[in-house]
Amino acid sequence: MSSLRAITLATLTKDIRLEWRSRDAINSMLFFSLLVVVVFSFSFDPNAEESREIAGGLIWVAFLFAAVVALNQTWARELRNQVLDAYRVSPSPANGLFLAKALGNFILVSLLEAVMAPLFIIFYNLRALGPAWQLIPVALLGTWALVVNGTFFAAMSLRTRSREIMLPLLLFPISIPAVQSMVEATRILLAGDGSARFWIVLLLTYDVVFTTACLALFETVLQAE
Amino acid sequence: MKRAFPILAVFTALLLGYAFYEAMWVAPMERTMGDVQRIFYYHVPSAWTAFLLFFVNLVASVIYLIRRNEKADALAVVSAEVGVVFCTVVLVTGPIWARPVWGIWWTWDIRLTTTLVLWLIYVSYLVLRRFSDSSQTPKLAAVLAIFGALDVPLVYFSIWFFRTQHPQPVIGGGGSIDPRMLHVLLLNWLAFSCFALLICWARYRLERLQREADELESLESLRGVVQ
C-alpha cells in the first residue's frame, strides 16, 4: 500500500513539475477551449433565458474536447526513451502509475475549468437561478468521470495506429451517461427548475463503477504489448 | 459437424420464407397502424438477436480475459460483428415505423437511446479491433467490451429519468398482444436466431481459418529468415 502511494506521488509530482516548466498541455487546452467558447458564442448568439438552457451543454462539450487534447498527451512522454517498458518490467504496482496519471489529468482539467468558467459567465451573461454551490460537486465528479476513463483509454489506444483519433472514438460512447448527467445537472442548477440530486448521484455511481473497473483492468492493459 | 452447416442453411432459408409469409399475409392487420405495423415482426426479433449477440460477446470477452482462450476471442469478434449488423437493422427499421405512427423519425426515448449507445459502443469496439494490429488486440478489445457492458445500465438509468415514448416491451411489459401476432413474432424470432447462428458459424470458421493462415504465413517467413 505504501509503495502504491509512493509511486503515485512520485509520478504525479514529476508530471506536474514537467507540466509547470513547459506548460504545453495547459496552454493548448486553454486556447482550444477559448476558441470553442468564441465559436459557439458566434453560432448561437443566445439571450439570457436561452443561455441558461444551453450553457450546460456548451460548457461541458468545450471541456470534453479540451480534455481530449490533454489526455492524448498523457502517455506520450512515457513512450519516449522506453519509460513505459521500464515500468512494465519493474515490480512497482501498475495502479500507482495509473492513479498518478489520472490525478495529473484531473488537476490539469480542473485548472482549465477554473479559468474558463468565469469566461463562460461573462460571454453568456450567466446568472444561476438554482443553488449554484452544487455546481462544484458536479464539476469535480464530472471531471473525474472524464479523466479516469480518458486516461485508461489513452493507455489502450497507445497500441493502435493513429492513436490520437482513437481516443475520442473509444471515450465518447462510454462517456455518454456522464456527459448527459453533467449537462442536465448544470442546466437544472442554472435554470433553477427542480433538484439536480438524481444526476449528482448518477455521476457518483459512474465514477465509482469506472474507477473500480479501471483499477481492476489497468494491469492487463499496461502489460499488453 | 461440417455436414450440419448446409442442413442449418436450408432449414434457415425455409424458416425465413415461412416466417415472411406468416408476417405478411397470415398475421392480422393492426387496427390503428395498419400494414406499417408488420415491420414489428422484423424490428423486434432483430433487437432480441442483437442483444443476445452482445451478451455472447461479453461472456466470450470475460472468458478470454480469464482463460486466454483463442476460440473465445474468435467468438467475441464474430458476435460483435453480427450483433452490429442486427442492431443496425433495428435502428433503421425503427424510424421507418416511427415516422407514420408517431409522426417523427426519432425521439430520445429510453429504449431508442440505449440501443443507439450500445450500437456506438460496439462500433467503437470494431474500430479498435481494426486499428490495433498487435497480438494484444484481443486483450484490449475484451477490456473495452467489459467497459461497454458496465456503461449500458448507466445509460439506461440516465434516460429512464425522462419520459419514455416507446411502446411497452412485448414480453414482460404489461402490454397486450393478439396471440396470433405473438405466434408470428416468435416464429420470426426463431428464424432470425437461426439466421444469426448461420452467419456467426460461417464467420467463425472464416475467422479461425484466417488466423491459421496468418500463423502459417508468419512461420513460413520465419523459416525463410533462418535459411
Side-chain angles (χ1 to χ4, degrees):
Chain A
M1 199 60 209
S2 64
S3 78
L4 179 78
R5 199 198 285 160
I7 296 276
T8 310
L9 269 179
T11 317
L12 183 61
T13 34
K14 178 211 74 174
D15 275 348
I16 290 177
R17 191 175 302 138
L18 275 171
E19 181 55 39
W20 179 253
R21 289 190 183 155
S22 70
R23 296 193 194 86
D24 279 349
I26 190 79
N27 280 342
S28 47
M29 276 164 73
L30 275 174
F31 190 55
F32 182 80
S33 47
L34 176 69
L35 289 176
V36 173
V37 173
V38 173
V39 170
F40 276 171
S41 184
F42 282 142
S43 12
F44 294 111
D45 193 22
N47 60 36
E49 203 47 51
E50 286 165 358
S51 3
R52 276 198 197 98
E53 290 292 321
I54 62 169
L58 298 187
I59 290 173
W60 284 110
V61 170
F63 290 157
L64 179 66
F65 287 166
V68 169
V69 175
L71 290 165
N72 260 328
Q73 308 298 322
T74 313
W75 303 98
R77 201 178 283 143
E78 315 299 340
L79 276 183
R80 267 177 259 140
N81 306 322
Q82 279 76 44
V83 182
L84 215 53
D85 291 330
Y87 267 116
R88 265 187 219 115
V89 293
S90 78
S92 59
N95 280 340
L97 180 62
F98 176 75
L99 279 177
K101 290 291 181 185
L103 283 172
N105 281 326
F106 180 73
I107 293 170
L108 212 60
V109 177
S110 302
L111 209 65
L112 165 88
E113 287 168 5
V115 177
M116 291 309 291
L119 221 70
F120 259 105
I121 295 173
I122 294 169
F123 275 175
Y124 292 92
N125 294 312
L126 291 177
R127 198 170 61 80
L129 299 178
W133 64 269
Q134 284 185 14
L135 285 171
I136 294 169
V138 171
L140 291 177
L141 291 171
T143 311
W144 181 252
L146 292 184
V147 299
V148 74
N149 274 347
T151 311
F152 189 84
F153 289 132
M156 258 169 89
S157 50
L158 282 180
R159 316 263 168 272
T160 58
R161 276 173 281 144
S162 50
R163 66 175 85 105
E164 307 257 303
I165 193 70
M166 203 59 219
L167 173 64
L169 294 188
L170 295 175
L171 179 62
F172 288 0
I174 301 279
S175 300
I176 287 173
V179 172
Q180 198 203 352
S181 308
M182 294 178 244
V183 171
E184 271 305 305
T186 311
R187 191 192 63 76
I188 288 172
L189 293 174
L190 287 179
D193 64 20
S195 155
R197 222 179 66 199
F198 172 82
W199 299 108
I200 296 177
V201 171
L202 191 71
L203 263 181
L204 189 68
T205 319
Y206 184 96
D207 284 355
V208 171
V209 167
F210 281 102
T211 309
T212 316
C214 287
L215 291 177
L217 292 167
F218 183 69
E219 178 92 51
T220 315
V221 170
L222 183 72
Q223 297 302 338
E225 178 60 68
Chain B
M1 213 39 193
K2 272 186 183 157
R3 206 175 291 161
F5 186 81
I7 298 173
L8 178 67
V10 172
F11 176 71
T12 306
L14 288 176
L15 196 59
L16 275 174
Y18 178 59
F20 177 76
Y21 167 75
E22 287 272 314
M24 290 300 139
W25 287 283
V26 178
M29 196 199 280
E30 218 274 347
R31 202 178 300 152
T32 47
M33 296 183 238
D35 275 331
V36 155
Q37 180 265 344
R38 288 179 200 276
I39 206 166
F40 158 84
Y41 300 117
Y42 294 92
H43 181 72
V44 179
S46 304
W48 288 349
T49 313
F51 297 154
L52 185 71
L53 286 165
F54 290 150
F55 183 69
V56 170
N57 171 273
L58 173 66
V59 173
S61 301
V62 172
I63 291 175
Y64 179 78
L65 274 186
I66 296 170
R67 295 264 173 84
R68 298 287 142 87
N69 182 334
E70 189 74 9
K71 282 183 186 166
D73 180 55
L75 185 62
V77 185
V78 169
S79 52
E81 275 182 12
V82 181
V84 165
V85 173
F86 275 92
C87 202
T88 312
V89 172
V90 177
L91 290 172
V92 171
T93 52
I96 295 175
W97 173 86
R99 176 72 196 165
V101 176
W102 289 341
I104 42 173
W105 291 108
W106 183 266
T107 167
W108 294 102
D109 156 90
I110 186 158
R111 268 168 282 273
L112 278 75
T113 314
T114 311
T115 312
L116 179 66
V117 173
L118 200 60
W119 185 83
L120 289 173
I121 289 172
Y122 272 97
V123 170
S124 81
Y125 174 93
L126 293 180
V127 171
L128 174 72
R129 292 208 81 118
R130 177 58 53 90
F131 271 79
S132 157
D133 41 13
S134 77
S135 60
Q136 298 301 324
T137 313
K139 240 188 256 174
L140 300 179
V143 169
L144 184 62
I146 291 172
F147 269 70
L150 291 175
D151 204 43
V152 170
L154 290 166
V155 174
Y156 194 82
F157 276 117
S158 70
I159 305 152
W160 165 77
F161 210 59
F162 294 122
R163 193 176 60 87
T164 192
Q165 186 169 17
H166 192 278
Q168 281 300 305
V170 178
I171 307 271
S176 67
I177 180 172
D178 186 311
R180 280 174 301 168
M181 286 182 173
L182 185 64
H183 164 78
V184 178
L185 177 69
L186 291 176
L187 187 71
N188 267 286
W189 187 42
L190 181 67
F192 267 58
S193 303
C194 285
F195 186 43
L197 180 66
L198 188 76
I199 311 173
C200 283
W201 192 345
R203 181 69 185 80
Y204 179 78
R205 267 167 61 184
L206 186 67
E207 180 73 24
R208 301 272 298 161
L209 283 173
Q210 178 73 48
R211 288 179 186 203
E212 236 169 78
D214 287 348
E215 224 165 87
L216 280 177
E217 203 172 306
S218 47
L219 268 181
E220 206 56 37
S221 56
L222 272 179
R223 203 166 292 154
V225 171
V226 171
Q227 279 165 4

